[in-house]
Amino acid sequence: MNHKDVKFPNEASSEFVKTLKSRVRDYFKENNISRYGNSEMVLKSIAMISMFFVPYFIMVLGVVTSPWAITAMWLAMGVGMAGIGLSIMHDANHGAYSKNKTVNNLMGWMLDVVGGNASNWKIQHNVLHHTYTNVSGVDEDISPPKFMRFSPHEPLMKVHKYQHFYAWFFYGLMTFGWIVAKDYKQLIRYRKKGFIKGDNKSFNMILLKVTIAKILYYTYIIAIPILVLPSPWWMTLINFFLMHFVAGLILGMIFQPAHVMPSSEYPLPDEKGNLENYWAIHQLLTTTNFAPKNKIFSWYVGGLNYQVEHHLFPNICHVHYRKISGIVEQTAKEYGFPYHSVPTFSGALYQHGKMLKLLGNNELKHLKGLQLH
């Protein structure tokens, strides 16, 4: 299915949307604050970048030399790597980090620094996922490898019966796609879909830039540690794997419970490509918050436990989500729309695991009007 064929009703006539946007605008106006990042965001950025690079330099400069201490540094880098993705580049690539586009581009480029590609991410995440959330065939976030099933509209395989057990391991492998072939495959696919325009020369230049970024990444993250660390080369590769596994597992546990939940809906367009609900209502039906009262957790995950607010207002920096969440919840309930929220992170992981089991066993008849495949 082509994203261009999927359409939402015009929100201009929605009283709910107009009221919600007006109330959120009033919040910022009345409190005389910007919707962008603030000093809290700057301090958080310093903390997350330090969490990744301080352990790196502690290793390569020989401050620690024991095998266990070096492994601990790599594990800490994994936590920092996920933190950079959750708390820095995410807002920046949404244009919400700063009102200055150059700052957003620089901070968004942190994804390239840790092995990914900001340009591809903006298409996959900002365009396909945020616009067409949980729409099978368009939202790539619910289109994993075939041995995983995140949507009831995808084909069922026998192996899916066990996905609630093995999914967690494969979440840990998530970021490995960034550093191997995923970015190249996405560039080719997105070009065919019209996201990347230009002649062959300009496209080849994009490929060259991605390749240079990958070479620089492999140089500082693998080649230099192999050359300078006292550990054997194979131990460095194992530690590199552990770093990515920690980062991938954290990212998977944050992003997947936001949309693959028993409360999630999976709307399909009709034969003309029209979706039933306004875009904002669609987001309420497909998105779930979790652990909203856990301030420390929310700080680390970049406010992405407030996924409802993030999906409705992706151009607002996450440092404001906790404050506007009350406005969103009140307005949604006032107009009779759901506001999905799980009190704890552990509860969200349990519910996500439950949903994986339901999807793996095709036991989703509780979803209204769902055509099971």
Side-chain angles (χ1 to χ4, degrees):
M1 183 185 301
N2 193 305
H3 70 285
K4 295 179 180 178
D5 299 326
V6 181
K7 300 177 287 293
F8 290 92
N10 190 337
E11 289 188 330
S13 60
S14 171
E15 287 299 320
F16 163 70
V17 175
K18 287 189 285 188
T19 301
L20 179 60
K21 289 183 177 180
S22 175
R23 289 176 177 177
V24 171
R25 279 196 303 268
D26 288 344
Y27 164 77
F28 286 102
K29 185 177 180 179
E30 291 169 5
N31 289 279
N32 194 29
I33 55 177
S34 166
R35 66 178 174 87
Y36 298 103
N38 50 25
S39 57
E40 177 188 340
M41 190 65 180
V42 174
L43 291 173
K44 178 184 290 193
S45 299
I46 294 171
M48 294 301 176
I49 293 172
S50 298
M51 201 180 299
F52 181 76
F53 281 107
V54 169
Y56 174 81
F57 284 110
I58 286 176
M59 287 191 308
V60 299
L61 294 177
V63 178
V64 296
T65 55
S66 76
W68 290 111
I70 289 174
T71 297
M73 293 301 102
W74 284 99
L75 294 176
M77 288 172 65
V79 176
M81 178 180 171
I84 287 172
L86 294 167
S87 289
I88 301 176
M89 80 84 189
H90 190 268
D91 281 78
N93 284 321
H94 272 295
Y97 188 100
S98 169
K99 61 182 177 182
N100 187 311
K101 290 184 179 181
T102 301
V103 173
N104 283 326
N105 289 334
L106 286 173
M107 301 309 289
W109 181 68
M110 287 301 302
L111 178 58
D112 297 69
V113 173
V114 294
N117 180 264
S119 298
N120 276 341
W121 188 89
K122 288 178 184 179
I123 297 172
Q124 177 183 335
H125 187 79
N126 294 5
V127 179
L128 299 177
H129 172 61
H130 267 265
T131 307
Y132 310 100
T133 312
N134 279 17
V135 178
S136 290
V138 185
D139 180 2
E140 293 188 358
D141 281 21
I142 59 165
S143 300
K146 291 183 179 180
F147 55 82
M148 297 290 294
R149 189 175 190 240
F150 287 165
S151 167
H153 303 301
E154 296 301 318
L156 181 69
M157 298 170 60
K158 288 184 178 180
V159 70
H160 292 148
K161 183 181 293 186
Y162 308 103
Q163 69 173 0
H164 56 295
F165 294 118
Y166 62 72
W168 313 98
F169 172 77
F170 288 102
Y171 288 167
L173 304 181
M174 179 188 301
T175 60
F176 283 96
W178 298 356
I179 61 173
V180 187
K182 181 179 179 180
D183 284 326
Y184 294 99
K185 291 179 179 179
Q186 282 187 324
L187 282 172
I188 295 170
R189 183 167 69 249
Y190 293 158
R191 188 191 190 194
K192 290 180 179 178
K193 291 186 176 183
F195 290 115
I196 301 173
K197 298 179 180 179
D199 55 21
N200 288 332
K201 186 177 180 180
S202 60
F203 182 69
N204 289 337
M205 183 57 67
I206 294 172
L207 288 177
L208 178 61
K209 289 179 180 179
V210 171
T211 301
I212 291 173
K214 299 298 181 192
I215 291 172
L216 291 174
Y217 175 72
Y218 279 118
T219 298
Y220 91 81
I221 204 70
I222 294 182
I224 291 177
I226 286 178
L227 290 173
V228 304
L229 294 182
S231 310
W233 64 268
W234 53 266
M235 192 65 200
T236 296
L237 293 181
I238 291 175
N239 285 329
F240 171 75
F241 171 85
L242 290 175
M243 176 193 73
H244 268 278
F245 189 86
V246 167
L249 182 59
I250 292 172
L251 293 172
M253 291 193 301
I254 298 303
F255 282 109
Q256 297 308 329
H259 303 289
V260 184
M261 298 285 272
S263 59
S264 302
E265 294 194 16
Y266 294 83
L268 286 177
D270 61 22
E271 62 277 1
K272 294 182 179 180
N274 297 312
L275 286 163
E276 178 182 357
N277 293 295
Y278 297 114
W279 176 83
I281 298 170
H282 179 96
Q283 301 306 315
L284 291 174
L285 297 174
T286 57
T287 309
T288 302
N289 286 358
F290 46 88
K293 294 183 179 180
N294 191 328
K295 293 182 180 181
I296 296 176
F297 175 76
S298 185
W299 179 88
Y300 173 70
V301 303
L304 291 178
N305 53 324
Y306 292 99
Q307 277 282 330
V308 173
E309 286 68 32
H310 172 60
H311 268 254
L312 290 172
F313 300 100
N315 62 343
I316 293 178
C317 185
H318 75 263
V319 295
H320 305 294
Y321 290 161
R322 185 171 64 87
K323 293 290 186 179
I324 68 171
S325 63
I327 298 172
V328 176
E329 181 176 12
Q330 177 187 340
T331 308
K333 292 181 177 179
E334 187 178 313
Y335 281 84
F337 296 121
Y339 183 87
H340 302 305
S341 184
V342 181
T344 64
F345 180 45
S346 60
L349 292 178
Y350 172 79
Q351 290 295 322
H352 174 61
K354 180 180 178 181
M355 184 60 171
L356 290 176
K357 185 176 182 180
L358 291 171
L359 285 164
N361 289 275
N362 224 29
E363 298 175 353
L364 289 163
K365 296 178 181 178
H366 66 286
L367 292 183
K368 184 179 179 181
L370 182 63
Q371 296 296 319
L372 294 177
H373 291 255

